Amino acid sequence: MAKSIFITGGASGIGKATAQYFAARGWRVGIADVNKAALAEALATLPAAMAESYVMDVRDRDAWVACLDAFTKPTGGALDVLFNNAGIGSGGPIAETDFAEIDRVVAINFVGVLNGARIGHGYLKKSPGSCLLNTASASAIYGSAGLAPYSATKFAVRALTEALDGEWFADGIKVRDIVPSFIDTPLLTAPAGNSNHSIRETVTAAGLELTPVDEVAKAAWDAVHGDKVHTYVGKTAFRMAFAARWMPGRMRKMMRRGGVSAASSD
């Protein structure tokens, strides 16, 4: 039987591209998302015999169980890869950010990942050599001014990945994450704080590159099949990782200049 991957946030962006990448290589794919219309469109791009879709909110633990039960029924409850990818973007000064927005970012970007890990463990444990894959961000390398709640959740995802890679080793489950730079996905349509500009406009104005989503999908494949706990994707992620390790003082000064533009490196 074909190997299987269940992807949250699968209706667009990284999730959709990853579903297409794995399906093209003979994997059975399950995509989950809160956006029913976009989910249907994404499903239409996948081989009918190899793909299923599920309307699901990662904050809903009962939905997690119901969807994973349904998707893994043909394999007796076994799952090869669970891709915790769903997330939302949010930017702006934290002192001016609504508490409701902070709660929403934390609930989706981190608690949703915790839900997937906690509930997904039992399914992954039934499949030898399985993998939990999480989507972190370049904002998880060094705290990003202007993106504080988002950056904090992605730091948490990175820490969870490292913790579970050790914790689940005895169960035969690898835990990995991808650490992408800015990707041209719907996440970047979110407003950049209180300005009239989107995060995408702010990023491009700062001269930062937008990494093609297909490059991230390939990185997801490499992460699942490789030994690296963290897989960096895109020039900005590599530059930030280098600067954070070797020039932390410079990174701090850059962040004090404020905003998303501090992610750049010259």
Side-chain angles (χ1 to χ4, degrees), residues 8-234:
T8 64
S12 62
I14 293 172
K16 179 180 177 181
T18 301
Q20 293 169 339
Y21 198 94
F22 276 71
R25 285 154 183 77
W27 282 54
R28 181 169 160 262
V29 174
I31 53 175
D33 206 286
V34 294
N35 190 328
K36 186 175 181 180
L39 196 59
E41 293 177 5
L43 185 64
T45 69
L46 299 169
M50 300 294 290
E52 301 171 23
S53 65
Y54 301 88
V55 179
M56 190 189 87
D57 188 324
V58 294
R59 295 170 291 184
D60 186 338
R61 290 165 181 158
D62 290 337
W64 266 107
V65 174
C67 292
L68 286 176
D69 276 352
F71 181 64
T72 63
K73 186 175 181 179
T75 59
L79 180 65
D80 294 295
V81 177
L82 172 57
F83 187 11
N84 263 326
N85 171 67
I88 58 173
S90 180
I94 194 169
E96 300 172 11
T97 304
D98 291 340
F99 281 109
E101 176 66 6
I102 294 173
D103 290 345
R104 181 168 171 262
V105 171
V106 173
I108 294 173
N109 289 8
F110 184 53
V111 178
V113 173
L114 280 172
N115 289 341
R118 171 65 180 82
I119 296 167
H121 175 265
Y123 302 87
L124 293 169
K125 191 175 180 180
K126 293 180 181 179
S127 184
S130 61
C131 179
L132 174 69
L133 178 63
N134 301 318
T135 296
S137 166
S139 289
I141 298 170
Y142 195 96
S144 300
L147 296 172
Y150 175 82
S151 185
T153 60
K154 292 304 183 177
F155 260 87
V157 168
R158 178 176 174 167
L160 181 69
T161 299
E162 294 174 357
L164 294 184
D165 186 56
E167 197 170 304
W168 291 2
F169 178 78
D171 293 328
I173 304 171
K174 297 189 298 184
V175 185
R176 304 286 184 260
D177 63 32
I178 53 173
V179 186
S181 304
F182 295 104
I183 312 300
D184 195 6
T185 74
L187 277 181
L188 294 189
T189 62
N194 297 321
S195 74
N196 294 322
H197 302 292
S198 68
I199 294 177
R200 177 186 286 111
E201 291 169 329
T202 304
V203 168
T204 54
L208 304 181
E209 87 285 356
L210 294 178
T211 303
V213 72
D214 290 345
E215 185 176 330
V216 188
K218 181 182 182 303
W221 175 271
D222 292 342
V224 165
H225 293 90
D227 294 326
K228 295 180 180 178
V229 176
H230 308 297
T231 297
Y232 298 97
V233 194

